[in-house]
Each structure stands twice: as structure tokens, then as C-alpha cells.
């Protein structure tokens, strides 16, 4: 049995605003990640704070929540072999300056805060994050 996984991907406001969603989705599909569900929505700052609560003690927390709730986002369930680590690899380093060539953040990220995408970082967090956006 291969490790078929699901992970949560978010296309953040900076990328939705620049119409990059289709380009980013093509990268997932080309790399054998299937988009099982997706929706475009805008969340409140309180919802962003709930989503990012692991970072609540960080100095960037307030700006991060303000940013994620600042405009429409697209959230997706990605499924595939090793989907969690594969998605993280396709995303690239948190700071686009440090991201490898051809990663999403290298191609499209503007700065460490406007870095175009989010991806779950573990099996447990993927479950929590998928449930957060796709209840039932
Ligand atoms: N972030 C930030 N400043 C920092 C570190 C992180 O604005 O110094 C933002 C950044 O947008 C990042 C998010 O907080 O994507 C969550 O941080 P994390 O360390 O979980 O990075 P990620 O998992 O997104 O690569
Ligand atoms: Mg993270």
C-alpha cells in the first residue's frame, strides 16, 4: 500500500489577485496531485487566527491573519502519493528568496508574507486543515 495522502493547499490573496490560480493548479496536476475539491472564498480575521493558531505567539501572527483575510483565497484538497511532502516541495521555502528554482514560491512569491501558497506540514495538520475548510 503506497502512502496515498491528502493535504490542504491554499492559494493566498496575492496569487489569487494576480490571476495565478490556474498556473499553480497546473503545477499540482503535472506533478500527479489530484485536486479532489476546491473553492474560492474570503475568510474573516478571526477565522484566519483560528487557522493559524499554531503561530499565535509569533511576532508576525497579527499581520499574517490580517493578510490571509485581506482578499479572496482558493482552498483545495490535493491527493496523491506522499501528497504532503510533495506539495511542500513544489511550494518551495517559506521565503521566496530562499526557494529553489521552479518552485511555486520562487516563480510567484513576492515576499515572506506574500508567498502565494500554504500547504499542510504533517498528516495530523492536513486532517485538521482539510476539516477546517471542508466540513462534513
Ligand atoms: N510568515 C511571515 N513571516 C515570517 C515567517 C512566516 O510572514 O517570518 C508567514 C508566511 O506567509 C508563512 C506563514 O507565516 O507562509 C506560516 O509560517 P510557516 O513557518 O508555517 O511557513 P510555511 O509552512 O507557510 O512555509
Ligand atoms: Mg506552515
Amino acid at each position: 500500500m503506497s502512502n496515498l495522502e491528502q493535504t490542504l493547499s491554499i492559494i493566498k490573496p496575492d496569487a489569487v489577485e494576480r490571476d495565478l490560480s490556474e498556473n499553480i493548479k497546473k503545477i499540482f496536476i503535472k506533478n500527479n496531485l489530484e485536486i479532489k475539491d476546491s473553492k474560492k472564498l474570503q475568510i474573516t480575521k478571526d477565522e484566519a487566527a483560528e487557522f493559524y493558531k499554531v503561530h499565535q505567539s509569533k511576532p508576525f501572527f497579527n499581520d499574517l491573519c490580517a493578510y490571509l483575510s485581506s482578499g479572496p483565497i482558493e482552498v483545495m484538497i490535493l491527493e496523491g502519493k506522499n501528497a504532503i511532502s510533495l506539495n511542500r516541495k513544489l511550494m518551495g521555502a517559506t521565503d521566496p528568496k530562499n526557494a529553489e528554482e521552479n518552485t511555486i514560491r520562487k516563480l510567484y512569491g513576492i515576499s515572506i508574507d506574500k508567498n502565494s501558497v500554504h500547504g499542510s506540514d504533517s498528516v495530523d495538520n492536513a486532517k485538521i486543515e482539510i476539516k477546517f475548510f471542508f466540513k462534513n
Side-chain angles (χ1 to χ4, degrees), residues 4 19 24 30 44-45 51 81 83 90 98 105 108-109 115 121 134:
L4 187 71
D19 269 328
I24 292 170
K30 208 171 80 185
T44 65
K45 196 176 173 192
F51 180 77
K81 197 174 170 203
L90 297 174
N98 302 326
R105 284 166 164 170
Y108 303 128
N115 60 5
D121 63 5
F134 298 92

Side-chain angles (χ1 to χ4, degrees), residues 12 52 54-55 58-61 63-64 67 88 91-95 105 111-121:
K12 293 184 178 181
Y52 269 133
V54 293
H55 292 305
K58 308 271 174 64
F60 58 82
F61 180 67
D63 286 348
L64 176 60
Y67 171 62
R88 298 285 308 185
M91 287 163 59
T94 305
D95 186 342
R105 284 166 164 170
S111 58
I112 192 164
D113 47 326
K114 295 186 174 178
N115 60 5
S116 302
V117 279
H118 166 86
S120 310
D121 63 5

Side-chain angles (χ1 to χ4, degrees), residues 74-87:
E74 190 157 345
V75 295
M76 281 162 285
I77 300 173
L78 303 179
E79 186 179 281
K81 197 174 170 203
N82 300 316
I84 296 163
S85 59
L86 175 56
N87 179 40

